[in-house]
Each structure stands twice: as C-alpha cells, then as structure tokens.
Amino acid sequence: MTNQETPVENAPELIVEERGRVLVLTMNRPEAKNAMSMAMAHQIADALDLLDSRDDLSVGVITGAGGTFCAGMDLKGFARGERPVVEGKGFAGLVKQPPRKPLIAAVEGYALAGGFEIVLSSDLIVASSAAKFGLPEVKRGLTAAAGGLLRLQHRIPYHLAMELVLTGAMWPATEAAEARLVNRLTEPGRALEEALVLADEVAANAPLALAASKQVLVQSVDWSLPEKFDRQEEFVNPIRESADAKEGAAAFVEKRTPQWTGH
C-alpha cells in the first residue's frame, strides 16, 4: 500500500492493448506505484468484461507501468472514504470475480497488499527475479481481505502462508518461484516480454476449451468427489459439440494449424 500520489494530467490510469488474441492491461499510475484507485478498478473490470465477451480474444495479461506491478490500495483515496471495489467483482474489479478466460500476471518490482491479491487472482504468474510480494496489511491495522487470506494458503504451504500473513513480510520472487507460486522467473525488466510469450503459447489453443478448462479447475475444488464428473459436464460437454472441436480434429488430420473461431 502507498500514500504517495502525484497525478499525471490526462494520463489514462489503465492502458489496454490488443496483441493478436491477447489483451494486455497495464496499470498506469507509476507516480503512485500503481496504487489502486476507484477509477482504475472500474477500468480493469470493463477491460476484463471485454476479454470475456470477445470471441477473438483468448488470454489476458495484467502488468504495471514504471517498474512496479501494484503497491495495493491508494491510501489517500481510502482516507477520503473511497474503496477501489467494483460491485460483484471486488477489489480492483477482479479479485472476487476473475475473468472466465485465463489471466496472466506479469510482475516487476512490488506486488504488495492488493497488488499481491491481484496476482493471486491470476491463473499464471511471470515475475522478475527482483520482484517482491507481500501482504503487509497487518502493519496498517488492516487485513488482506481482497482474497489474500482466502487464496494464499491454497497456493503455497500452509505454514509459509501463515508466516507471510502474520508478519507482513515481503517475499522475494526467487523464493516464490521455489515454492512454485511463480510459473516463470525472468531477468529484471523482462516479465512482460516473457508473459506475452506464455500468453501466445496459451492463445494458440482453442479459446472455448481454455475457458472451460479454467472454470473446471477453479470451481471443482468445492465439489464432492461423487459429483465431480457430473458437474464438469456442464462446462466440457458444450466443448465437444463446438465448431472449434471439429476444427481441431480437421486440422490434425490435414496437418495444418487450426483456425479457431471461439464457436
């Protein structure tokens, strides 16, 4: 979290770019270490709605400008009574209801408090070896209520999660990679570049199958064993009947690259 803020006049708080089938979201408040504002939260929610609604987009990447991912909630805004929360979607327009499609976090510098919770809401994580994660809320009389307390213990060993939460200590990305929280570790300054490589690998696959696979992985955690196979059918059965499934089979037989439509 940060209380430093010197707004840049006319600068968009979120930069949204399309790169083929990949939608890139860049949090753009570098003067405030990309601290989450109410405006940015709503812009992120809108961008992720766009990702989910477009058949020609398969994967999202979220990153931060200026060498920092996100230092958490804007404390100046919080002091004014503002909370960067979008109804139904939570902090940053994301943590309570992540997108249906895969989301990759590309992390440089600090991902602290709500910034780390954005990372934990993502499906894949690419981080610079110089990046640092942390949930320092207890140092500010707060709790990591934007998903940190709910997700961290399921991503890393329980006692490590408890230590990070109770001490509020910063955690180097190199150690996070050893704990398998980070998918790919890069040299400083290359996290977005490597995240885009990973995004292209993912986006080369069938978009409907990607979204359905993510949903089963995420939601089946709470399903009892007897119902797992039955409940996954609502997600996977439409995929079997899709035009993309037919295209995938035809492309294999014809030894060509499939042309996905998202239908």
Side-chain angles (χ1 to χ4, degrees):
M1 293 177 286
T2 179
N3 59 5
Q4 299 177 356
E5 182 179 2
T6 305
V8 178
E9 187 175 358
N10 298 324
E13 295 199 0
L14 184 74
I15 300 171
V16 181
E17 303 171 276
E18 294 181 27
R19 302 192 185 193
R21 299 193 67 88
V22 180
L23 191 69
V24 181
L25 285 60
T26 303
M27 295 175 284
N28 190 40
R29 303 184 71 218
E31 74 287 345
K33 294 183 170 57
N34 298 318
M36 187 58 55
S37 67
M38 187 181 301
M40 190 193 292
H42 281 273
Q43 290 168 31
I44 290 173
D46 290 344
L48 294 179
D49 283 344
L50 177 68
L51 171 66
D52 277 345
S53 69
R54 289 264 300 272
D55 292 337
D56 59 337
L57 295 172
S58 296
V59 185
V61 173
I62 186 165
T63 192
T68 295
F69 184 77
C70 174
M73 179 172 59
D74 179 5
L75 290 183
K76 281 194 171 183
F78 180 72
R80 294 192 299 267
E82 296 179 3
R83 295 183 63 217
V85 172
V86 177
E87 185 175 358
K89 295 180 180 293
F91 176 83
L94 165 64
V95 300
K96 186 176 180 180
Q97 186 181 333
R100 180 174 52 85
K101 296 177 181 178
L103 181 66
I104 302 172
V107 184
E108 298 279 355
Y110 295 106
L112 302 177
F116 191 19
E117 289 168 310
I118 293 171
V119 172
L120 293 172
S121 302
S122 302
D123 304 297
L124 298 168
I125 302 167
V126 177
S128 155
S129 60
K132 296 183 185 298
F133 302 107
L135 295 173
E137 281 88 345
V138 292
K139 294 177 179 289
R140 304 289 182 265
L142 300 169
T143 58
L149 301 180
L150 303 176
R151 289 189 169 105
L152 188 60
Q153 64 176 309
H154 299 294
R155 305 288 193 269
I156 62 175
Y158 171 85
H159 291 103
L160 176 57
M162 191 64 77
E163 179 179 348
L164 292 171
V165 168
L166 297 184
T167 64
M170 284 194 288
W171 192 33
T174 50
E175 294 182 16
E178 292 174 0
R180 303 302 299 169
L181 181 77
V182 172
N183 294 91
R184 298 187 181 181
L185 197 66
T186 75
E187 296 177 2
R190 294 193 57 197
L192 178 57
E193 177 185 344
E194 184 62 26
L196 291 172
V197 171
L198 180 55
D200 285 340
E201 290 180 25
V202 174
N205 299 311
L208 292 177
L210 290 173
S213 296
K214 169 181 172 174
Q215 293 308 306
V216 172
L217 278 169
V218 171
Q219 297 191 33
S220 63
V221 173
D222 299 322
W223 300 345
S224 65
L225 183 59
E227 67 180 337
K228 284 181 185 288
F229 281 91
D230 290 337
R231 291 194 62 178
Q232 78 168 350
E233 286 302 308
E234 67 178 284
F235 298 97
V236 303
N237 189 56
I239 306 306
R240 298 189 190 100
E241 308 299 325
S242 69
D244 276 353
K246 295 179 177 64
E247 168 63 9
F252 176 80
V253 171
E254 297 167 12
K255 297 182 179 179
R256 60 175 174 80
T257 301
Q259 302 298 311
W260 310 120
T261 63
H263 295 284

